[in-house]
Amino acid sequence: IPLRTMAMELITKPEDLKNVSVLIVSYDNQKPLYEELNAAIAAWVKEGGTLLYLGGPDEYLTIPDAWWNQEGKGGSPTANLLQHLGVADSISAATLTGGDKALRWLGGKTAADAADFTDGALKAGGDSFTYYYEGSGFETLLETEDGKAVGITFDVGEGTVLMVGLSTTDYSDSTAGADLMRMLTAKAT
């Protein structure tokens, strides 16, 4: 599968993504500088794109002057993206707390299934920052041992969104994390 990287600052309208079929986005290490990025991504998804959104909360979400902390902007880039996708009334992201929780894959068979990603091989909510998703209108792909939806998928317009609340470091710290990334990418494609 051909892969190309894009600077998020260059995405201001859906047309900027016209040659992209699957977009993998994370706001873990770099937050969007402006809300228009979320609006462009959401419009692109509604027109038939597939978004794989990775990442969880971090200490930078509390910056008082950040655009996402202005009234009506959602309180985080993730919440703002859910607003632009038109699902904020039915789906919300919450911070997972309470120590390491084993994760289970519920996303069915993928072209990248691996024996290394087994129950308990990957954990969430420990030292890393993790979101889980609450609400309705989505299918759970990945959940904690106590049933919190850490990975979800849902349709918006003609497109599809996969959201996984694990920190991006979780995909590179272990074989299980790398296997999960391959499974998510296979599911998205």
Side-chain angles (χ1 to χ4, degrees), residues 4-189:
R4 105 182 133 125
T5 59
M6 299 177 73
M8 72 169 89
E9 292 83 8
L10 300 178
I11 302 170
T12 59
K13 54 192 178 308
E15 297 79 37
D16 295 333
L17 298 167
K18 68 179 175 188
N19 295 320
V20 176
S21 57
V22 175
L23 179 66
I24 301 173
V25 171
S26 174
Y27 295 158
D28 272 4
N29 296 312
Q30 182 178 2
K31 304 291 182 253
L33 297 176
Y34 43 81
E35 182 179 10
E36 289 77 15
L37 174 68
N38 280 343
I41 290 172
W44 170 81
V45 169
K46 292 173 185 177
E47 293 173 4
T50 299
L51 173 65
L52 174 52
Y53 181 87
L54 308 171
D58 59 34
E59 61 274 10
Y60 298 108
L61 296 179
T62 60
I63 297 171
D65 295 335
W67 64 262
W68 56 84
N69 286 323
Q70 296 173 9
E71 188 174 336
K73 303 293 184 184
S76 74
T78 303
N80 183 263
L81 178 60
L82 289 168
Q83 286 178 342
H84 282 283
L85 289 167
V87 299
D89 289 340
S90 59
I91 300 172
S92 63
T95 303
L96 182 67
T97 57
D100 290 337
K101 297 179 187 233
L103 294 171
R104 292 185 293 245
W105 175 256
L106 304 176
K109 288 287 186 187
T110 73
D113 279 348
D116 288 328
F117 185 78
T118 56
D119 289 354
L122 190 62
K123 298 192 183 305
D127 291 335
S128 63
F129 299 99
T130 307
Y131 276 139
Y132 70 95
Y133 297 93
E134 300 177 295
S136 61
F138 59 81
E139 173 191 342
T140 301
L141 298 175
L142 190 65
E143 74 176 13
T144 62
E145 57 195 297
D146 58 351
K148 303 269 191 217
V150 171
I152 63 173
T153 185
F154 54 93
D155 293 331
V156 176
E158 299 296 316
T160 302
V161 177
L162 294 85
M163 297 185 94
V164 182
L166 296 175
S167 168
T168 51
T169 58
D170 290 326
Y171 302 99
S172 60
D173 284 351
S174 68
T175 302
D179 287 340
L180 175 60
M181 186 65 206
R182 282 189 290 276
M183 292 165 70
L184 289 166
T185 305
K187 183 86 173 164
T189 56

